[in-house]
Amino acid sequence: MPNPPLKAVTLTHVRYRKGDPLGHFLAWVSLIPVFISLGGFFTHFIFRRELQGMFFALGLLISQFINQIIKTFVQQARPETCALLEMCDSHGWPSSHSQYMFFFAIYFTLLTVEGIGLSQIKNKWAVNFLPWSIAVLTMYSRVYLGYHTVSQVFAGAALGIFLGAVWFWVVNNIIYDYFPAIEESKFGRMLYVKDTSHIKNVLKFEYDNARAARKNMAHKAN
């Protein structure tokens, strides 16, 4: 009985041409969505547990779920280079990497523009330059490395921007009204879930309260 074919876990399975420094760089750029998900949002939940961040992450998950539904329905093949990349058994339209990064970029930009948790930042255009530049680089990397066609990454970018903007509106115009209830729920109190988006300068607020608590402890000890 022949052995069944093997399939790689594609989460970090990114290939580039040997001896190509640009391809090597873009392969790492292509992994940025993984770093954001595992390093960014997971760490955020462990140390911050902010409802805005949690719903940001939930929106990205919903976006990727929608991406997989569309890919399954459209079933557009990847470019011919998929054979070398061992990716021909998956569909390419729209690009999930491109969709993820442009969802992240538009949502982060809207958070910054609205001053949600970032109201103390003066040069907001400079802060927003980073996620958009990374989004464009990620889109380019998927074409350069041969994983997608140009139309597939642009479709992912457009869908990511649309879904990111819609989800931001849903969170901050509908779900936001339920934030206090989530904070006071059994789940919220057990995991110390909170919302500080109504505080103008969160860093200063936490800094002042931490200092006050330390002084209070020192006063009680004496």
Side-chain angles (χ1 to χ4, degrees):
M1 181 177 178
N3 293 325
L6 301 178
K7 181 175 175 61
V9 176
T10 57
L11 184 65
T12 59
H13 190 65
V14 182
R15 293 187 173 185
Y16 64 96
R17 289 188 297 272
K18 186 177 180 179
D20 180 7
L22 177 59
H24 189 191
F25 168 72
L26 292 175
W28 282 104
V29 169
S30 190
L31 291 175
I32 288 177
V34 178
F35 299 148
I36 291 175
S37 297
L38 300 182
F41 286 111
F42 180 75
T43 303
H44 177 276
F45 177 78
I46 295 298
F47 293 102
R48 300 294 305 170
R49 308 189 190 188
E50 292 274 359
L51 284 169
Q52 282 286 353
M54 293 169 67
F55 277 98
F56 191 170
L58 178 61
L60 283 164
L61 289 175
I62 294 172
S63 172
Q64 292 302 290
F65 179 71
I66 292 173
N67 178 275
Q68 292 303 313
I69 292 176
I70 295 174
K71 278 183 175 178
T72 303
F73 179 77
V74 176
Q75 297 187 1
Q76 186 180 105
R78 293 179 183 270
E80 295 179 356
T81 48
C82 67
L84 295 173
L85 301 170
E86 299 180 355
M87 293 290 291
C88 292
D89 58 340
S90 61
H91 307 301
W93 194 97
S95 165
S96 60
H97 283 70
S98 182
Q99 182 175 324
Y100 184 104
M101 286 309 305
F102 278 89
F103 183 110
F104 181 90
I106 188 63
Y107 200 100
F108 184 86
T109 297
L110 291 171
L111 282 174
T112 307
V113 170
E114 294 296 325
I116 300 176
L118 299 166
S119 58
Q120 70 275 17
I121 297 176
K122 295 181 179 180
N123 297 323
K124 295 181 179 181
W125 66 268
V127 174
N128 288 320
F129 175 77
L130 182 61
W132 285 103
S133 60
I134 293 175
V136 172
L137 271 175
T138 302
M139 182 171 66
Y140 176 71
S141 74
R142 302 306 287 175
V143 176
Y144 183 90
L145 296 172
Y147 286 90
H148 290 286
T149 64
V150 173
S151 64
Q152 288 171 354
V153 294
F154 272 100
L159 186 57
I161 291 172
F162 172 75
L163 291 176
V166 170
W167 183 244
F168 180 86
W169 184 90
V170 169
V171 170
N172 291 282
N173 289 275
I174 300 176
I175 302 177
Y176 182 80
D177 293 337
Y178 298 94
F179 277 11
I182 297 173
E183 283 182 314
E184 296 301 323
S185 68
K186 184 177 180 180
F187 163 79
R189 286 180 291 171
M190 180 176 65
L191 296 179
Y192 303 113
V193 171
K194 64 182 181 298
D195 170 44
T196 59
S197 58
H198 56 284
I199 299 172
K200 186 175 182 181
N201 191 330
V202 177
L203 290 177
K204 186 177 186 304
F205 176 82
E206 292 182 343
Y207 174 74
D208 291 342
N209 278 274
R211 289 183 64 204
R214 184 180 296 277
K215 290 179 180 179
N216 187 43
M217 289 175 63
H219 177 72
K220 290 181 177 180
N222 295 329

mmCIF file of all heavy atoms in Angstrom, residues 36-65:
data_model
loop_
_atom_site.group_PDB
_atom_site.id
_atom_site.type_symbol
_atom_site.label_atom_id
_atom_site.label_comp_id
_atom_site.label_asym_id
_atom_site.label_seq_id
_atom_site.Cartn_x
_atom_site.Cartn_y
_atom_site.Cartn_z
ATOM 1 N N ILE A 36 2.640 39.151 14.418
ATOM 2 C CA ILE A 36 1.599 40.000 15.004
ATOM 3 C C ILE A 36 0.605 39.160 15.799
ATOM 4 O O ILE A 36 0.219 39.517 16.923
ATOM 5 C CB ILE A 36 0.868 40.794 13.909
ATOM 6 C CG1 ILE A 36 1.802 41.850 13.295
ATOM 7 C CG2 ILE A 36 -0.393 41.463 14.470
ATOM 8 C CD1 ILE A 36 1.191 42.593 12.128
ATOM 9 N N SER A 37 0.210 38.029 15.233
ATOM 10 C CA SER A 37 -0.794 37.188 15.887
ATOM 11 C C SER A 37 -0.257 36.551 17.161
ATOM 12 O O SER A 37 -0.861 36.661 18.229
ATOM 13 C CB SER A 37 -1.263 36.089 14.925
ATOM 14 O OG SER A 37 -1.891 36.653 13.794
ATOM 15 N N LEU A 38 0.886 35.879 17.041
ATOM 16 C CA LEU A 38 1.414 35.132 18.180
ATOM 17 C C LEU A 38 2.181 36.033 19.151
ATOM 18 O O LEU A 38 2.016 35.929 20.361
ATOM 19 C CB LEU A 38 2.324 33.995 17.687
ATOM 20 C CG LEU A 38 1.663 32.953 16.777
ATOM 21 C CD1 LEU A 38 2.653 31.868 16.393
ATOM 22 C CD2 LEU A 38 0.456 32.323 17.460
ATOM 23 N N GLY A 39 3.009 36.911 18.610
ATOM 24 C CA GLY A 39 3.801 37.772 19.477
ATOM 25 C C GLY A 39 3.047 38.989 19.968
ATOM 26 O O GLY A 39 3.180 39.385 21.123
ATOM 27 N N GLY A 40 2.240 39.583 19.083
ATOM 28 C CA GLY A 40 1.542 40.818 19.428
ATOM 29 C C GLY A 40 0.283 40.603 20.243
ATOM 30 O O GLY A 40 0.213 41.000 21.411
ATOM 31 N N PHE A 41 -0.716 39.977 19.640
ATOM 32 C CA PHE A 41 -2.016 39.867 20.305
ATOM 33 C C PHE A 41 -1.997 38.876 21.468
ATOM 34 O O PHE A 41 -2.682 39.092 22.471
ATOM 35 C CB PHE A 41 -3.093 39.482 19.299
ATOM 36 C CG PHE A 41 -3.487 40.616 18.401
ATOM 37 C CD1 PHE A 41 -3.162 40.597 17.057
ATOM 38 C CD2 PHE A 41 -4.170 41.714 18.903
ATOM 39 C CE1 PHE A 41 -3.513 41.656 16.231
ATOM 40 C CE2 PHE A 41 -4.527 42.773 18.083
ATOM 41 C CZ PHE A 41 -4.199 42.744 16.740
ATOM 42 N N PHE A 42 -1.220 37.812 21.361
ATOM 43 C CA PHE A 42 -1.137 36.870 22.476
ATOM 44 C C PHE A 42 -0.490 37.539 23.688
ATOM 45 O O PHE A 42 -0.976 37.425 24.817
ATOM 46 C CB PHE A 42 -0.334 35.625 22.066
ATOM 47 C CG PHE A 42 -0.213 34.605 23.161
ATOM 48 C CD1 PHE A 42 -1.279 33.795 23.503
ATOM 49 C CD2 PHE A 42 0.983 34.470 23.861
ATOM 50 C CE1 PHE A 42 -1.171 32.864 24.527
ATOM 51 C CE2 PHE A 42 1.100 33.535 24.883
ATOM 52 C CZ PHE A 42 0.026 32.734 25.209
ATOM 53 N N THR A 43 0.606 38.270 23.435
ATOM 54 C CA THR A 43 1.273 38.995 24.524
ATOM 55 C C THR A 43 0.365 40.081 25.087
ATOM 56 O O THR A 43 0.311 40.311 26.306
ATOM 57 C CB THR A 43 2.581 39.629 24.018
ATOM 58 O OG1 THR A 43 3.419 38.616 23.470
ATOM 59 C CG2 THR A 43 3.310 40.344 25.144
ATOM 60 N N HIS A 44 -0.378 40.744 24.204
ATOM 61 C CA HIS A 44 -1.314 41.781 24.639
ATOM 62 C C HIS A 44 -2.354 41.214 25.591
ATOM 63 O O HIS A 44 -2.680 41.824 26.616
ATOM 64 C CB HIS A 44 -1.999 42.406 23.428
ATOM 65 C CG HIS A 44 -3.036 43.429 23.783
ATOM 66 N ND1 HIS A 44 -4.333 43.081 24.099
ATOM 67 C CD2 HIS A 44 -2.976 44.780 23.881
ATOM 68 C CE1 HIS A 44 -5.021 44.166 24.372
ATOM 69 N NE2 HIS A 44 -4.223 45.210 24.253
ATOM 70 N N PHE A 45 -2.870 40.032 25.266
ATOM 71 C CA PHE A 45 -3.888 39.436 26.133
ATOM 72 C C PHE A 45 -3.301 39.055 27.490
ATOM 73 O O PHE A 45 -3.924 39.277 28.532
ATOM 74 C CB PHE A 45 -4.508 38.196 25.476
ATOM 75 C CG PHE A 45 -5.511 37.510 26.359
ATOM 76 C CD1 PHE A 45 -6.788 38.019 26.511
ATOM 77 C CD2 PHE A 45 -5.160 36.367 27.067
ATOM 78 C CE1 PHE A 45 -7.713 37.394 27.341
ATOM 79 C CE2 PHE A 45 -6.072 35.740 27.902
ATOM 80 C CZ PHE A 45 -7.356 36.257 28.038
ATOM 81 N N ILE A 46 -2.095 38.504 27.480
ATOM 82 C CA ILE A 46 -1.470 38.070 28.729
ATOM 83 C C ILE A 46 -1.209 39.254 29.657
ATOM 84 O O ILE A 46 -1.483 39.195 30.866
ATOM 85 C CB ILE A 46 -0.158 37.314 28.448
ATOM 86 C CG1 ILE A 46 -0.434 36.009 27.685
ATOM 87 C CG2 ILE A 46 0.581 37.017 29.763
ATOM 88 C CD1 ILE A 46 -1.301 35.018 28.428
ATOM 89 N N PHE A 47 -0.703 40.361 29.091
ATOM 90 C CA PHE A 47 -0.251 41.464 29.938
ATOM 91 C C PHE A 47 -1.219 42.651 30.003
ATOM 92 O O PHE A 47 -1.146 43.431 30.953
ATOM 93 C CB PHE A 47 1.118 41.963 29.459
ATOM 94 C CG PHE A 47 2.216 40.963 29.662
ATOM 95 C CD1 PHE A 47 2.690 40.208 28.605
ATOM 96 C CD2 PHE A 47 2.763 40.765 30.918
ATOM 97 C CE1 PHE A 47 3.703 39.278 28.787
ATOM 98 C CE2 PHE A 47 3.775 39.837 31.114
ATOM 99 C CZ PHE A 47 4.249 39.089 30.045
ATOM 100 N N ARG A 48 -2.104 42.813 29.022
ATOM 101 C CA ARG A 48 -2.966 43.988 28.997
ATOM 102 C C ARG A 48 -4.448 43.656 29.166
ATOM 103 O O ARG A 48 -5.150 44.272 29.944
ATOM 104 C CB ARG A 48 -2.783 44.753 27.674
ATOM 105 C CG ARG A 48 -1.374 45.253 27.429
ATOM 106 C CD ARG A 48 -0.980 46.310 28.439
ATOM 107 N NE ARG A 48 -1.947 47.411 28.469
ATOM 108 C CZ ARG A 48 -1.934 48.362 29.392
ATOM 109 N NH1 ARG A 48 -1.040 48.356 30.336
ATOM 110 N NH2 ARG A 48 -2.834 49.322 29.364
ATOM 111 N N ARG A 49 -4.953 42.727 28.378
ATOM 112 C CA ARG A 49 -6.353 42.283 28.441
ATOM 113 C C ARG A 49 -7.335 43.425 28.192
ATOM 114 O O ARG A 49 -8.348 43.552 28.872
ATOM 115 C CB ARG A 49 -6.631 41.577 29.763
ATOM 116 C CG ARG A 49 -5.621 40.482 30.027
ATOM 117 C CD ARG A 49 -5.944 39.604 31.175
ATOM 118 N NE ARG A 49 -4.796 38.747 31.464
ATOM 119 C CZ ARG A 49 -4.799 37.750 32.326
ATOM 120 N NH1 ARG A 49 -5.901 37.465 33.002
ATOM 121 N NH2 ARG A 49 -3.719 37.035 32.529
ATOM 122 N N GLU A 50 -6.990 44.237 27.210
ATOM 123 C CA GLU A 50 -7.845 45.357 26.816
ATOM 124 C C GLU A 50 -8.901 44.875 25.831
ATOM 125 O O GLU A 50 -8.597 44.139 24.883
ATOM 126 C CB GLU A 50 -7.012 46.459 26.157
ATOM 127 C CG GLU A 50 -6.063 47.175 27.088
ATOM 128 C CD GLU A 50 -6.751 48.324 27.806
ATOM 129 O OE1 GLU A 50 -7.944 48.561 27.548
ATOM 130 O OE2 GLU A 50 -6.079 48.968 28.631
ATOM 131 N N LEU A 51 -10.136 45.312 26.026
ATOM 132 C CA LEU A 51 -11.214 44.894 25.145
ATOM 133 C C LEU A 51 -11.004 45.383 23.716
ATOM 134 O O LEU A 51 -11.324 44.678 22.755
ATOM 135 C CB LEU A 51 -12.565 45.393 25.679
ATOM 136 C CG LEU A 51 -13.108 44.604 26.872
ATOM 137 C CD1 LEU A 51 -14.287 45.323 27.500
ATOM 138 C CD2 LEU A 51 -13.510 43.204 26.444
ATOM 139 N N GLN A 52 -10.469 46.595 23.556
ATOM 140 C CA GLN A 52 -10.205 47.094 22.204
ATOM 141 C C GLN A 52 -9.235 46.166 21.467
ATOM 142 O O GLN A 52 -9.438 45.822 20.300
ATOM 143 C CB GLN A 52 -9.638 48.510 22.256
ATOM 144 C CG GLN A 52 -10.665 49.596 22.501
ATOM 145 C CD GLN A 52 -11.526 49.889 21.289
ATOM 146 O OE1 GLN A 52 -11.295 49.379 20.201
ATOM 147 N NE2 GLN A 52 -12.528 50.728 21.465
ATOM 148 N N GLY A 53 -8.170 45.757 22.146
ATOM 149 C CA GLY A 53 -7.207 44.854 21.529
ATOM 150 C C GLY A 53 -7.781 43.488 21.259
ATOM 151 O O GLY A 53 -7.496 42.866 20.223
ATOM 152 N N MET A 54 -8.613 42.994 22.165
ATOM 153 C CA MET A 54 -9.217 41.675 21.988
ATOM 154 C C MET A 54 -10.175 41.650 20.804
ATOM 155 O O MET A 54 -10.192 40.684 20.020
ATOM 156 C CB MET A 54 -9.932 41.263 23.277
ATOM 157 C CG MET A 54 -8.980 41.024 24.440
ATOM 158 S SD MET A 54 -9.810 40.852 26.038
ATOM 159 C CE MET A 54 -10.696 39.333 25.796
ATOM 160 N N PHE A 55 -10.963 42.721 20.641
ATOM 161 C CA PHE A 55 -11.883 42.767 19.503
ATOM 162 C C PHE A 55 -11.152 43.066 18.204
ATOM 163 O O PHE A 55 -11.614 42.688 17.122
ATOM 164 C CB PHE A 55 -12.992 43.780 19.758
ATOM 165 C CG PHE A 55 -14.115 43.225 20.592
ATOM 166 C CD1 PHE A 55 -14.176 43.457 21.958
ATOM 167 C CD2 PHE A 55 -15.089 42.425 20.013
ATOM 168 C CE1 PHE A 55 -15.190 42.924 22.733
ATOM 169 C CE2 PHE A 55 -16.113 41.891 20.770
ATOM 170 C CZ PHE A 55 -16.166 42.132 22.138
ATOM 171 N N PHE A 56 -10.012 43.750 18.287
ATOM 172 C CA PHE A 56 -9.139 43.930 17.126
ATOM 173 C C PHE A 56 -8.690 42.554 16.625
ATOM 174 O O PHE A 56 -8.797 42.227 15.432
ATOM 175 C CB PHE A 56 -7.942 44.779 17.548
ATOM 176 C CG PHE A 56 -7.068 45.279 16.428
ATOM 177 C CD1 PHE A 56 -6.086 46.222 16.696
ATOM 178 C CD2 PHE A 56 -7.190 44.817 15.125
ATOM 179 C CE1 PHE A 56 -5.261 46.712 15.687
ATOM 180 C CE2 PHE A 56 -6.377 45.293 14.098
ATOM 181 C CZ PHE A 56 -5.402 46.234 14.394
ATOM 182 N N ALA A 57 -8.197 41.724 17.543
ATOM 183 C CA ALA A 57 -7.743 40.380 17.192
ATOM 184 C C ALA A 57 -8.891 39.514 16.674
ATOM 185 O O ALA A 57 -8.731 38.761 15.706
ATOM 186 C CB ALA A 57 -7.095 39.719 18.407
ATOM 187 N N LEU A 58 -10.059 39.640 17.300
ATOM 188 C CA LEU A 58 -11.225 38.873 16.848
ATOM 189 C C LEU A 58 -11.598 39.248 15.423
ATOM 190 O O LEU A 58 -11.943 38.385 14.602
ATOM 191 C CB LEU A 58 -12.403 39.132 17.785
ATOM 192 C CG LEU A 58 -13.721 38.443 17.410
ATOM 193 C CD1 LEU A 58 -13.566 36.930 17.405
ATOM 194 C CD2 LEU A 58 -14.839 38.860 18.370
ATOM 195 N N GLY A 59 -11.505 40.539 15.101
ATOM 196 C CA GLY A 59 -11.797 40.984 13.744
ATOM 197 C C GLY A 59 -10.848 40.378 12.726
ATOM 198 O O GLY A 59 -11.263 39.983 11.628
ATOM 199 N N LEU A 60 -9.573 40.284 13.080
ATOM 200 C CA LEU A 60 -8.601 39.655 12.176
ATOM 201 C C LEU A 60 -8.926 38.183 11.959
ATOM 202 O O LEU A 60 -8.795 37.670 10.842
ATOM 203 C CB LEU A 60 -7.192 39.815 12.747
ATOM 204 C CG LEU A 60 -6.558 41.194 12.588
ATOM 205 C CD1 LEU A 60 -5.353 41.346 13.515
ATOM 206 C CD2 LEU A 60 -6.146 41.444 11.141
ATOM 207 N N LEU A 61 -9.348 37.505 13.013
ATOM 208 C CA LEU A 61 -9.732 36.089 12.879
ATOM 209 C C LEU A 61 -10.951 35.935 11.974
ATOM 210 O O LEU A 61 -10.994 35.040 11.120
ATOM 211 C CB LEU A 61 -10.017 35.493 14.260
ATOM 212 C CG LEU A 61 -8.811 35.277 15.179
ATOM 213 C CD1 LEU A 61 -9.272 34.790 16.547
ATOM 214 C CD2 LEU A 61 -7.840 34.267 14.566
ATOM 215 N N ILE A 62 -11.942 36.799 12.154
ATOM 216 C CA ILE A 62 -13.139 36.751 11.310
ATOM 217 C C ILE A 62 -12.768 37.026 9.862
ATOM 218 O O ILE A 62 -13.267 36.369 8.933
ATOM 219 C CB ILE A 62 -14.184 37.768 11.808
ATOM 220 C CG1 ILE A 62 -14.709 37.368 13.188
ATOM 221 C CG2 ILE A 62 -15.341 37.900 10.817
ATOM 222 C CD1 ILE A 62 -15.606 38.400 13.839
ATOM 223 N N SER A 63 -11.881 37.993 9.662
ATOM 224 C CA SER A 63 -11.425 38.333 8.312
ATOM 225 C C SER A 63 -10.769 37.139 7.634
ATOM 226 O O SER A 63 -11.023 36.856 6.451
ATOM 227 C CB SER A 63 -10.453 39.513 8.374
ATOM 228 O OG SER A 63 -9.856 39.756 7.118
ATOM 229 N N GLN A 64 -9.921 36.421 8.370
ATOM 230 C CA GLN A 64 -9.253 35.250 7.788
ATOM 231 C C GLN A 64 -10.233 34.110 7.529
ATOM 232 O O GLN A 64 -10.089 33.363 6.556
ATOM 233 C CB GLN A 64 -8.136 34.786 8.720
ATOM 234 C CG GLN A 64 -6.981 35.757 8.827
ATOM 235 C CD GLN A 64 -6.337 36.053 7.479
ATOM 236 O OE1 GLN A 64 -5.682 35.200 6.880
ATOM 237 N NE2 GLN A 64 -6.511 37.269 6.990
ATOM 238 N N PHE A 65 -11.248 33.991 8.365
ATOM 239 C CA PHE A 65 -12.282 32.981 8.143
ATOM 240 C C PHE A 65 -13.048 33.289 6.856
ATOM 241 O O PHE A 65 -13.312 32.394 6.047
ATOM 242 C CB PHE A 65 -13.237 32.951 9.339
ATOM 243 C CG PHE A 65 -14.357 31.963 9.207
ATOM 244 C CD1 PHE A 65 -14.116 30.603 9.293
ATOM 245 C CD2 PHE A 65 -15.659 32.401 8.992
ATOM 246 C CE1 PHE A 65 -15.153 29.689 9.169
ATOM 247 C CE2 PHE A 65 -16.697 31.501 8.861
ATOM 248 C CZ PHE A 65 -16.443 30.133 8.951
#
